Amino acid sequence: QVQLVESGGDSVQAGGSLRLSCVASRATSGFPFMAWFRQAPGKEREGVAATYPYNPNIGDTYYADSVKGRFAISLEVANNTLYLQMHLLKPEDTATYYCAASGGPVYGPTKLRTRDYNYWGQGTQVTVS
């Protein structure tokens, strides 16, 4: 059973920064893709950023247009930890942020299709005011 545990959510002022962490219960290199998603109240869950854990040195990262240039996804293989560094936060970034990992192929140009991800964390709340 794979477990993903997020942390780092907080309430911040617009323009501020946060770093979210996600610790996996097994080696991240075993996942074809890992990603961050978010869900605001009354809205569908949407992809934020994805990365290719098998070889993080490749630098394969994918971002939703709404966060490009502000968010950065990264992986610390030694600690099985996925990060999301968020800068220049806006009120519209307010949501519950979820870490996700795929158990198989991930499709599409952005690698951010919710249905391609099998394992999910419990979420961490980010509020920007």
Side-chain angles (χ1 to χ4, degrees):
Q1 181 72 14
V2 174
Q3 290 187 325
L4 303 172
V5 180
E6 304 99 331
S7 62
D10 205 345
S11 296
V12 297
Q13 296 290 322
S17 299
L18 278 177
R19 188 176 78 159
L20 305 183
S21 301
C22 169
V23 179
S25 60
R26 74 177 203 202
T28 54
S29 59
F31 301 119
F33 272 88
M34 295 189 75
W36 288 95
F37 288 78
R38 66 186 182 186
Q39 188 167 19
K43 295 188 177 181
E44 292 187 357
R45 190 169 298 189
E46 63 174 359
V48 175
T51 191
Y52 178 54
Y54 182 73
N55 187 351
N57 294 324
I58 288 180
D60 275 355
T61 55
Y62 305 83
Y63 295 95
D65 288 341
S66 59
V67 306
K68 282 181 182 176
R70 300 188 299 122
F71 290 11
I73 188 171
S74 62
L75 190 66
E76 190 172 273
V77 174
N79 293 324
N80 297 338
T81 303
L82 182 74
Y83 297 103
L84 184 68
Q85 179 68 56
M86 305 185 292
H87 296 296
L88 299 175
L89 283 162
K90 304 175 181 180
E92 51 264 44
D93 295 319
T94 295
T96 301
Y97 283 71
Y98 297 92
C99 173
S102 67
V106 173
Y107 300 98
T110 65
K111 312 301 182 187
L112 291 171
R113 298 193 325 179
T114 306
R115 62 182 179 269
D116 290 337
Y117 289 83
N118 309 94
Y119 309 108
W120 295 84
Q122 81 289 349
T124 186
Q125 179 67 36
V126 172
T127 303
V128 185
S129 59

